[in-house]
Amino acid sequence: MSEESSPHSEDASQANSAEEKSPPRKNPAKKVTIILTIIMLLLISWYVMSDRWAPYSSRGAVDGYITQLAPRVDGNVVDIMVADGQHVVAGQPLFQIDPRPYEIAVSEAESQLKSALQTNSSSVANISASQANVVSAESRLENTRITSQRTFVLVDRGALSRQQGDDARADLRDAEANLSSARAQLRSNIEALGPKGMDNPDVKRAQAQLENAQLNLNYATVRAPTDGVVTNLKLGEGRYAASTQPAMTFIDVRGNWVSADLRENQLGHINQGDSADILFDSIPGKVFKGRVQSIAWGIDAARPTANGLMQSQPEQDWFEPARRMPVRIELDESEMPWPEAARVGGRVNVVVYAGGGKHPIGWLSAGLIRLSSWVSYLY
């Protein structure tokens, strides 16, 4: 029996010695864990560094000068001279309020002035014409001032040329000169009445009433304040338009910009003039160049008050997210004009390059925004 069992014992001893000599097997999960940890650390590092030196926001929007046009006089709308989406120029008629009540008021005011001047030898017609010239000159000066102020702002931002700014100043001086000339002519005609006419309170009262009636008649035609586009047109003929209620939406197309909401902890290295890449959802596959024009100095914190004192806001979250500040970015139109497809309110993706972006983080961010521009064809 001992001789038969000896071969088995020898095989067992040889197997045990082979197991002792073979190296222990490595655990593959450990290697995977190390790789995933390294990747996670790299992603966190990239997130922190890019957030500081090349902050990105998908919460940008196209912004612009939007005006709710309201008439200065009341009445029924009898004519609409524009269509929805139509481009108009400054001073172009937009819609007409029934002028008949105001024409009657002018006629009554002229009759009252004629009655007040019946004892004078001066021509009522000349004074009425001079008064109308003054009203027309005042209205033109007002429109020219509004247009010039917007032109000056756009020239300072580089959206318009300095020549256009000089032209706007010349137009403003011409309008002021025309008003001065019209007033001088009116004074001359009134002075022709003699001291009695100038000192007569009835004449002055009638003159003021006539001027007001002519001004209201001029306001019955609502005109475009600047070059722009009529949008969301819902005004119809026959509607009663009140002087304090908006009747038409108007967008000044001469100067648009992008408003990007960035978190407070992304603003640490951003300064005015920093370059930016802009991706409009309406124009996939194309990246536009821009620059930071300004950073908002504050937002509404929406703190409630009671009895004149601010209330304490209860904590509901463990980690309250950082608030977002609007950053105004203007397109560099020297390289590429403002795209017509980028409409006010459209969604925009923005990357701002702190310090000019001449660093690896800026280069990688520029590549990612271009990759995103290609992917934007799909969503």
Coordinates of all heavy atoms in Angstrom, one line a residue, residues 334-373:
S334 N -15.3 94.7 -37.9 CA -14.2 95.0 -38.8 C -13.8 93.7 -39.6 O -13.3 93.8 -40.7 CB -13.0 95.6 -38.1 OG -12.5 94.7 -37.1
E335 N -14.0 92.5 -38.9 CA -13.7 91.3 -39.5 C -14.9 90.7 -40.2 O -14.8 90.0 -41.3 CB -13.2 90.3 -38.5 CG -11.8 90.7 -37.9 CD -11.3 89.6 -37.0 OE1 -11.9 88.5 -37.0 OE2 -10.2 89.8 -36.4
M336 N -16.1 90.9 -39.6 CA -17.3 90.2 -40.2 C -18.5 91.0 -39.8 O -18.7 91.4 -38.6 CB -17.4 88.8 -39.6 CG -18.4 87.9 -40.4 SD -18.3 86.2 -39.7 CE -16.6 85.8 -40.0
P337 N -19.4 91.4 -40.7 CA -20.5 92.2 -40.4 C -21.5 91.5 -39.6 O -21.5 90.2 -39.5 CB -21.1 92.6 -41.8 CG -20.7 91.5 -42.7 CD -19.3 91.1 -42.2
W338 N -22.4 92.2 -38.9 CA -23.4 91.5 -38.1 C -24.3 90.7 -39.0 O -24.9 91.2 -39.9 CB -24.2 92.6 -37.3 CG -25.2 91.9 -36.4 CD1 -26.5 91.6 -36.7 CD2 -25.0 91.6 -35.0 NE1 -27.1 91.0 -35.6 CE2 -26.2 91.0 -34.6 CE3 -23.9 91.7 -34.2 CZ2 -26.3 90.5 -33.3 CZ3 -24.1 91.2 -32.9 CH2 -25.3 90.6 -32.4
P339 N -24.5 89.4 -38.6 CA -25.3 88.6 -39.5 C -26.8 88.9 -39.3 O -27.3 89.0 -38.2 CB -25.0 87.1 -39.0 CG -24.6 87.4 -37.6 CD -23.9 88.7 -37.5
E340 N -27.5 88.9 -40.5 CA -28.9 89.3 -40.4 C -29.7 88.2 -39.8 O -30.8 88.4 -39.2 CB -29.4 89.5 -41.8 CG -30.9 90.0 -41.9 CD -31.3 90.4 -43.3 OE1 -30.4 90.4 -44.2 OE2 -32.5 90.7 -43.5
A341 N -29.2 86.9 -39.8 CA -30.0 85.8 -39.2 C -30.0 85.8 -37.7 O -30.8 85.1 -37.1 CB -29.4 84.5 -39.7
A342 N -29.0 86.6 -37.1 CA -29.0 86.7 -35.7 C -30.0 87.7 -35.2 O -29.7 88.9 -35.2 CB -27.6 87.0 -35.2
R343 N -31.1 87.2 -34.8 CA -32.2 88.1 -34.4 C -32.2 88.4 -32.9 O -31.7 87.5 -32.1 CB -33.6 87.5 -34.8 CG -33.6 87.1 -36.3 CD -33.5 88.4 -37.2 NE -33.5 88.0 -38.6 CZ -34.5 87.8 -39.4 NH1 -35.7 88.0 -38.9 NH2 -34.4 87.6 -40.7
V344 N -32.8 89.4 -32.5 CA -32.9 89.8 -31.1 C -33.6 88.7 -30.3 O -34.7 88.2 -30.7 CB -33.6 91.1 -30.9 CG1 -33.8 91.4 -29.4 CG2 -32.8 92.2 -31.5
G345 N -33.0 88.2 -29.2 CA -33.5 87.2 -28.4 C -33.0 85.8 -28.7 O -33.2 84.8 -28.0
G346 N -32.2 85.7 -29.8 CA -31.7 84.4 -30.2 C -30.6 83.9 -29.3 O -29.9 84.6 -28.6
R347 N -30.5 82.5 -29.2 CA -29.5 81.9 -28.2 C -28.1 82.0 -28.8 O -27.9 81.8 -30.0 CB -30.0 80.5 -27.9 CG -29.1 79.8 -26.9 CD -29.7 78.4 -26.6 NE -28.8 77.6 -25.8 CZ -27.9 76.7 -26.2 NH1 -27.8 76.6 -27.5 NH2 -27.2 76.0 -25.4
V348 N -27.2 82.2 -27.9 CA -25.8 82.3 -28.3 C -24.9 81.6 -27.3 O -25.1 81.6 -26.1 CB -25.3 83.8 -28.3 CG1 -23.9 84.0 -28.8 CG2 -26.3 84.6 -29.2
N349 N -23.8 80.9 -27.8 CA -22.8 80.3 -27.0 C -21.6 81.2 -27.0 O -21.2 81.7 -28.1 CB -22.4 78.9 -27.4 CG -23.6 78.0 -27.3 OD1 -24.1 77.8 -26.2 ND2 -23.9 77.3 -28.4
V350 N -20.9 81.5 -25.9 CA -19.8 82.5 -25.8 C -18.7 81.9 -25.0 O -18.9 81.2 -24.0 CB -20.3 83.8 -25.2 CG1 -19.1 84.7 -25.0 CG2 -21.4 84.4 -26.0
V351 N -17.4 82.1 -25.6 CA -16.2 81.8 -24.8 C -15.4 83.1 -24.7 O -15.2 83.8 -25.8 CB -15.4 80.7 -25.5 CG1 -14.0 80.6 -24.8 CG2 -16.1 79.4 -25.4
V352 N -15.1 83.6 -23.5 CA -14.3 84.8 -23.3 C -12.9 84.4 -23.0 O -12.7 83.6 -22.1 CB -14.9 85.7 -22.2 CG1 -14.1 86.9 -22.0 CG2 -16.4 86.0 -22.6
Y353 N -11.9 85.0 -23.7 CA -10.5 84.7 -23.4 C -9.9 85.8 -22.6 O -9.6 86.9 -23.0 CB -9.8 84.6 -24.8 CG -10.4 83.5 -25.7 CD1 -11.1 83.9 -26.8 CD2 -10.2 82.2 -25.4 CE1 -11.7 82.9 -27.7 CE2 -10.8 81.2 -26.2 CZ -11.5 81.6 -27.4 OH -12.1 80.7 -28.2
A354 N -9.7 85.4 -21.3 CA -9.1 86.4 -20.4 C -7.6 86.6 -20.7 O -6.9 85.6 -21.0 CB -9.2 85.9 -18.9
G355 N -7.2 87.8 -20.7 CA -5.8 88.1 -21.1 C -5.5 87.9 -22.5 O -4.3 87.8 -22.9
G356 N -6.5 87.8 -23.4 CA -6.2 87.7 -24.8 C -6.3 86.2 -25.3 O -6.3 86.0 -26.5
G357 N -6.2 85.3 -24.4 CA -6.3 83.9 -24.8 C -5.1 83.3 -25.4 O -5.1 82.2 -26.0
K358 N -3.9 83.9 -25.3 CA -2.7 83.4 -25.8 C -2.0 82.5 -24.8 O -0.9 82.8 -24.3 CB -1.8 84.5 -26.2 CG -2.3 85.4 -27.4 CD -1.4 86.5 -27.7 CE -2.0 87.4 -28.9 NZ -1.1 88.5 -29.3
H359 N -2.7 81.4 -24.6 CA -2.2 80.4 -23.6 C -2.8 79.0 -24.0 O -3.8 79.0 -24.7 CB -2.5 80.8 -22.2 CG -3.8 81.3 -21.9 ND1 -5.0 80.6 -21.9 CD2 -4.2 82.6 -21.7 CE1 -6.0 81.3 -21.7 NE2 -5.6 82.6 -21.6
P360 N -2.3 77.9 -23.5 CA -2.9 76.6 -23.9 C -4.4 76.5 -23.6 O -5.1 75.8 -24.4 CB -2.0 75.6 -23.0 CG -0.7 76.3 -22.8 CD -1.1 77.8 -22.7
I361 N -4.8 77.0 -22.5 CA -6.2 76.9 -22.1 C -7.1 77.6 -23.2 O -8.1 77.1 -23.6 CB -6.5 77.5 -20.7 CG1 -5.8 76.6 -19.7 CG2 -8.0 77.5 -20.5 CD1 -5.9 77.2 -18.3
G362 N -6.6 78.8 -23.6 CA -7.3 79.5 -24.7 C -7.3 78.8 -26.0 O -8.3 78.8 -26.7
W363 N -6.2 78.1 -26.3 CA -6.1 77.4 -27.6 C -7.1 76.2 -27.6 O -7.8 76.0 -28.5 CB -4.7 76.9 -27.8 CG -3.7 78.1 -27.9 CD1 -4.0 79.3 -28.3 CD2 -2.3 78.0 -27.5 NE1 -2.8 80.1 -28.2 CE2 -1.8 79.3 -27.8 CE3 -1.5 77.0 -27.1 CZ2 -0.5 79.6 -27.5 CZ3 -0.1 77.3 -26.8 CH2 0.3 78.6 -27.1
L364 N -7.1 75.5 -26.4 CA -8.0 74.3 -26.4 C -9.5 74.8 -26.4 O -10.3 74.1 -27.0 CB -7.7 73.5 -25.1 CG -6.4 72.7 -25.1 CD1 -6.2 72.2 -23.7 CD2 -6.4 71.6 -26.1
S365 N -9.8 75.9 -25.7 CA -11.1 76.4 -25.7 C -11.6 76.8 -27.1 O -12.7 76.6 -27.5 CB -11.3 77.5 -24.7 OG -11.0 77.1 -23.4
A366 N -10.7 77.4 -27.8 CA -11.0 77.8 -29.2 C -11.3 76.6 -30.0 O -12.2 76.6 -30.9 CB -9.8 78.6 -29.8
G367 N -10.5 75.5 -29.8 CA -10.8 74.3 -30.6 C -12.2 73.7 -30.2 O -12.9 73.2 -31.1
L368 N -12.5 73.8 -28.9 CA -13.8 73.2 -28.5 C -15.0 74.0 -29.0 O -16.0 73.4 -29.3 CB -13.8 73.1 -26.9 CG -12.8 72.1 -26.3 CD1 -12.9 72.2 -24.8 CD2 -13.2 70.7 -26.7
I369 N -14.9 75.3 -29.0 CA -16.0 76.1 -29.5 C -16.2 75.9 -31.0 O -17.3 75.9 -31.5 CB -15.8 77.6 -29.2 CG1 -17.1 78.4 -29.4 CG2 -14.7 78.2 -30.0 CD1 -18.2 78.0 -28.5
R370 N -15.1 75.6 -31.7 CA -15.2 75.3 -33.2 C -15.9 73.9 -33.4 O -16.7 73.7 -34.3 CB -13.9 75.4 -33.8 CG -13.6 76.8 -34.2 CD -12.1 77.1 -34.4 NE -11.9 78.5 -34.8 CZ -11.9 79.5 -34.0 NH1 -12.1 79.3 -32.7 NH2 -11.6 80.7 -34.4
L371 N -15.5 73.0 -32.5 CA -16.1 71.7 -32.6 C -17.6 71.8 -32.2 O -18.4 71.1 -32.9 CB -15.4 70.7 -31.6 CG -16.0 69.3 -31.5 CD1 -15.9 68.6 -32.8 CD2 -15.3 68.5 -30.4
S372 N -17.9 72.6 -31.3 CA -19.3 72.8 -30.9 C -20.1 73.5 -32.1 O -21.3 73.2 -32.2 CB -19.4 73.7 -29.7 OG -20.7 74.0 -29.3
S373 N -19.4 74.3 -32.8 CA -20.1 74.9 -34.0 C -20.5 73.9 -35.0 O -21.5 74.0 -35.7 CB -19.2 76.0 -34.6 OG -18.1 75.4 -35.3

